Amino acid sequence: MPVTMDDVERFEVFRPRLEAIAYRLLGSAGEAEDAVQETFLRWHAADVDRIEVPEAWLTKVLTNVCRNQLTSARARRETYVGQWLPEPLLPGDPMLGPADTAEQRESVSFAVLTLLERLSPQERAVYVLREAFEYPHREIAEILDISEASSQQLFHRAKKRVADGKARTEIDEAAARRVVEGFLAAATSGRTEPLVQLLTDDAFAVGDGGGKVPARAKAFEGALAVAKFMRGLFKPGEAKRALVGGSPDVYATTANGDPAIVAVVDGRVVGVMCLEVNADGVAAFRTQINPDKLVRATERWAAADHGEPLLKAF
């Protein structure tokens, strides 16, 4: 059946929401785009005039596509080189989705997206649809072909597993910048003590190079170990410049709603470091340096003005 412009326009109305759902389900912007495209192909193949509620139909198809991808992704991540971290989204990216409530903003944070990896595909789907998009359990049950009671049980179990692993403090953009500026000042001071004072006792740092860029497979754990690592990371070195193609310009921004540091070389984003902050200080650093997961960030970066960098690293 040939696709009509009307069919395309009807689908495009829902695309931003579908992409936001898919990103939260998969943790990857590229995979989310693929899932939405597969959903469009199925929309194109369907008798759309007989679909009474397009949003519900599309959400169901998309969720099932993502659940299948999650099942295969688990197998791929077992052979992934080093730590797997989500793909970062910079401010203004429509894939960030709704941000009206604290729950919606938190659902796309790097910390929560990482924690969602602990859940089964079914648990993850229920959690995302309920927590981030406020679907009632009745609709979730219809989307997943389960009972409403099962949806409620899956949600409570998923929410507990996510809550057990996080203690994030929500801060605004101005406060996020102050956190980043304070951290950079301490990291480039040449001393360990100022860094230790900013960190929680159980702070950790982890990076995702995907086998493309060197990254430690095991996290640095504890304030002192993290502080020493960060001090060394920001120390100038020819090898570091050669690795990323120059001396990066370092900016303070947010990524996935978290305070973040973005390193840019000749307009190309070469690293995004997300800082997880709680009432006691900086609790975690999650750094994405896998170039395959920075393509969208580079595109978004090029589309906006970011002012002058805070410093030039290395």
Side-chain angles (χ1 to χ4, degrees):
M1 182 180 298
V3 65
T4 67
M5 285 304 299
D6 184 55
D7 293 337
V8 173
E9 290 171 0
R10 289 168 69 189
F11 181 87
E12 290 302 320
V13 169
F14 300 108
R15 181 183 288 276
R17 186 176 184 87
L18 295 174
E19 288 188 343
I21 292 173
Y23 173 73
R24 284 167 170 80
L25 286 173
L26 300 171
S28 163
E31 290 179 5
E33 290 174 340
D34 291 342
V36 172
Q37 183 60 23
E38 175 63 25
T39 302
F40 173 74
L41 293 176
R42 297 190 187 188
W43 168 261
H44 170 39
D47 185 354
V48 297
D49 290 333
R50 296 176 64 87
I51 297 174
E52 295 182 2
V53 186
E55 181 181 356
W57 189 93
L58 290 167
T59 303
K60 181 168 186 170
V61 171
L62 174 79
T63 302
N64 285 320
V65 168
C66 289
R67 286 164 64 199
N68 290 335
Q69 286 196 22
L70 281 170
T71 300
S72 60
R74 287 193 165 207
R76 291 197 306 273
R77 287 169 193 171
E78 288 178 1
T79 60
Y80 192 81
V81 179
Q83 289 278 347
W84 182 93
L85 291 176
E87 184 175 343
L89 299 181
L90 298 182
D93 194 315
M95 211 173 267
L96 289 169
D100 298 326
T101 68
E103 290 79 12
Q104 289 174 334
R105 292 188 292 274
E106 188 174 67
S107 71
V108 79
S109 72
F110 239 49
V112 168
L113 288 175
T114 304
L115 289 167
L116 290 181
E117 291 292 302
R118 302 178 179 182
L119 307 182
S120 70
Q122 191 93 314
E123 289 172 333
R124 188 163 181 163
V126 172
Y127 181 88
V128 167
L129 292 172
R130 178 64 179 165
E131 190 80 346
F133 295 91
E134 300 180 331
Y135 279 85
H137 284 291
R138 174 182 53 79
E139 292 185 23
I140 296 173
E142 293 174 357
I143 289 170
L144 299 178
D145 292 323
I146 58 177
S147 68
E148 189 171 343
S150 294
S151 176
Q152 292 171 337
Q153 291 173 353
L154 286 165
F155 175 70
H156 290 307
R157 186 162 67 227
K159 190 168 185 177
K160 184 179 186 305
R161 293 183 69 185
V162 172
D164 286 346
K166 66 180 177 66
R168 178 174 175 264
T169 298
E170 189 174 17
I171 58 178
D172 61 27
E173 190 170 341
R177 183 179 180 87
R178 290 194 296 272
V179 168
V180 171
E181 289 176 343
F183 165 72
L184 287 174
T188 56
S189 70
R191 297 186 298 125
T192 303
E193 293 78 8
L195 274 168
V196 171
Q197 293 174 6
L198 292 176
L199 309 178
T200 62
D201 292 341
D202 59 352
F204 69 90
V206 64
D208 178 351
K212 309 290 180 66
V213 178
R216 181 182 165 98
K218 190 176 184 300
F220 291 91
E221 298 180 348
L224 184 58
V226 171
K228 288 181 177 179
F229 166 67
M230 290 297 172
R231 186 187 66 181
L233 181 65
F234 284 91
K235 185 180 294 185
E238 184 60 37
K240 297 174 188 175
R241 289 192 289 272
L243 184 64
V244 298
S247 296
D249 291 324
V250 177
Y251 296 83
T253 184
T254 60
N256 295 65
D258 293 321
I261 296 166
V262 174
V264 182
V265 175
D266 296 331
R268 177 174 54 92
V269 175
V270 297
V272 178
M273 178 185 287
C274 292
L275 283 64
E276 181 183 344
V277 180
N278 64 32
D280 298 319
V282 182
F285 300 86
R286 297 179 178 89
T287 305
Q288 185 55 259
I289 52 176
N290 182 345
D292 294 343
K293 296 184 181 182
L294 295 172
V295 174
R296 187 180 180 93
T298 294
E299 292 172 352
R300 295 295 306 177
W301 191 261
D305 179 21
H306 305 280
E308 293 299 316
L310 291 178
L311 57 92
K312 187 174 283 288
F314 311 156

